[in-house]
Amino acid sequence: MFLDNPSSDNWLADKAGLFELAPAKINLALHVTGQRADGYHLLESIVTFADTGDRLAFCDVDADDFFVSGRFASLLPTSGEGRHGNLVLKARDMLRKALEDKGVSTPPVAIHLEKNLPVAAGIGGGSADAAAALRGLMRFWNASLPDAELAALCLSLGADVPMCLRGEPLLAKGIGEELTALPGLPSLALVLGNPLVGVSTPDIFRRLMQKDNPPIGAYDSDWIGFLRTLRNDLEPPARSLVREIDQISSLIGAEGTMLTRMSGSGATCFGIFPSFEAAERAVENLNGQKPEWYFQAVRTVGQG
């Protein structure tokens, strides 16, 4: 169900008692280092998370329900059925089955997804929503799964879901399941920009010619300097498919970034700024130039 104005029903204010943020995921670097026999690509990625994103709310009801609102709500499926079903509902159903198999009660729940992030944008929107649904439902049902079982459930929902469940600075390897915390990665001031052109991740990988690129290697305390030596191997094929990536990267870079790069499989690009105030000024300028596109100043999690 879509809600044009959920606040008019006081749904969030009066009924929901539990909330979860589904923060935007940013791939500060993404190296494609190989490909498995089953076709899955092997990656190394430095990942962090923003202080903004989608928002989920949960409340008691007599029968399961699902509501969607927000700027990008109309682009989402409201059913969990099929290959392209909504990941929030897939996460709910898979977690419920896993818990009920253990004899845990999972009463009906209404979930409200406030969709603030662009769809198919390379910032983990659907995966972040699924991870937030798992976190929220485990709190709502006062239940948990063993770490290994939860990790397997996350990975079955998507390669980005395990890292989104962690929600902290990470080095991700393999297909996304090998996660190492990066506690030394600082909080960064970023501008996220997206031309609101959806990108198909499989299409990007099909256009990737070189699939055994050098790994990230050892990192040091000069994070900005280190990140400048890295890359996103998916950016060249994404630029060849979506020409707007060239433009949005140039626009962000012209605002005085320390580094500009594409996140994930695109089309979202980010710029790292010296301060959050500088990022906010950049967003004001960028919105003036391209008011129909998506720009957002964010702080990422991390030291400081």
Side-chain angles (χ1 to χ4, degrees):
M1 178 188 299
F2 293 110
L3 297 177
D4 292 331
N5 185 8
S7 62
S8 65
D9 293 342
N10 292 320
W11 198 91
L12 282 172
D14 296 341
K15 297 183 179 180
L18 191 152
F19 302 87
E20 279 285 343
L21 180 68
K25 168 194 67 72
I26 299 102
N27 298 91
L28 296 173
L30 194 162
H31 292 200
V32 181
T33 58
Q35 188 172 17
R36 301 193 317 195
D38 60 6
Y40 280 95
H41 291 82
L42 299 174
L43 311 174
E44 290 195 8
S45 183
I46 295 176
V47 179
T48 191
F49 293 86
D51 60 355
T52 189
D54 298 337
R55 191 168 185 245
L56 281 78
F58 307 81
C59 77
D60 289 304
V61 284
D62 294 329
D64 284 336
D65 213 341
F66 182 55
F67 305 86
V68 186
S69 67
R71 179 178 177 184
F72 301 105
S74 64
L75 302 177
L76 291 184
T78 54
S79 166
E81 299 300 318
R83 180 181 176 187
H84 299 292
N86 194 289
L87 283 177
V88 168
L89 298 179
K90 289 180 182 292
R92 178 200 66 190
D93 295 344
M94 291 176 68
L95 179 62
R96 172 174 275 148
K97 183 179 186 308
L99 292 173
E100 289 183 346
D101 285 348
K102 298 179 182 298
V104 177
S105 175
T106 59
V109 57
I111 303 174
H112 172 216
L113 169 60
E114 185 179 285
K115 189 63 186 172
N116 303 313
L117 297 176
V119 176
I123 49 177
S127 296
D129 294 343
L134 292 174
R135 288 194 303 269
L137 287 169
M138 285 190 290
R139 290 200 291 145
F140 184 82
W141 288 327
N142 192 27
S144 62
L145 289 175
D147 289 346
E149 190 173 343
L150 181 59
L153 190 157
C154 286
L155 196 60
S156 69
L157 287 164
D160 284 352
V161 178
M163 65 184 78
C164 289
L165 188 74
R166 293 272 295 266
E168 61 181 330
L170 296 164
L171 174 65
K173 293 185 178 181
I175 63 170
E177 83 285 14
E178 300 174 29
L179 303 175
T180 303
L182 296 176
L185 185 67
S187 176
L188 302 170
L190 304 185
V191 168
L192 305 180
N194 187 284
L196 301 188
V197 177
V199 175
S200 165
T201 299
D203 286 349
I204 299 302
F205 276 105
R206 277 193 288 270
R207 287 172 174 254
L208 182 65
M209 296 295 102
Q210 185 74 23
K211 303 191 178 185
D212 55 350
N213 300 288
I216 285 177
Y219 44 87
D220 58 39
S221 58
D222 177 15
W223 279 100
I224 299 300
F226 176 61
L227 290 171
R228 286 181 178 136
T229 70
L230 306 180
R231 60 192 187 274
N232 182 345
D233 288 330
L234 301 183
E235 189 163 345
R239 284 176 180 257
S240 72
L241 185 65
V242 180
R243 295 299 181 184
E244 289 89 346
I245 294 174
D246 286 336
Q247 187 177 6
I248 202 162
S249 180
S250 296
L251 287 172
I252 294 174
E255 294 295 324
T257 63
M258 297 186 290
L259 173 68
T260 308
R261 183 169 287 153
M262 190 184 81
S263 176
S265 56
T268 299
C269 295
F270 65 87
I272 303 178
F273 284 80
S275 69
F276 185 67
E277 291 73 22
E280 288 183 309
R281 290 193 297 270
V283 165
E284 185 176 354
N285 293 336
L286 292 163
N287 280 330
Q289 297 175 68
K290 288 288 185 180
E292 71 278 14
W293 287 1
Y294 170 90
F295 294 102
Q296 179 71 49
V298 304
R299 295 182 178 92
T300 65
V301 298
Q303 272 194 350

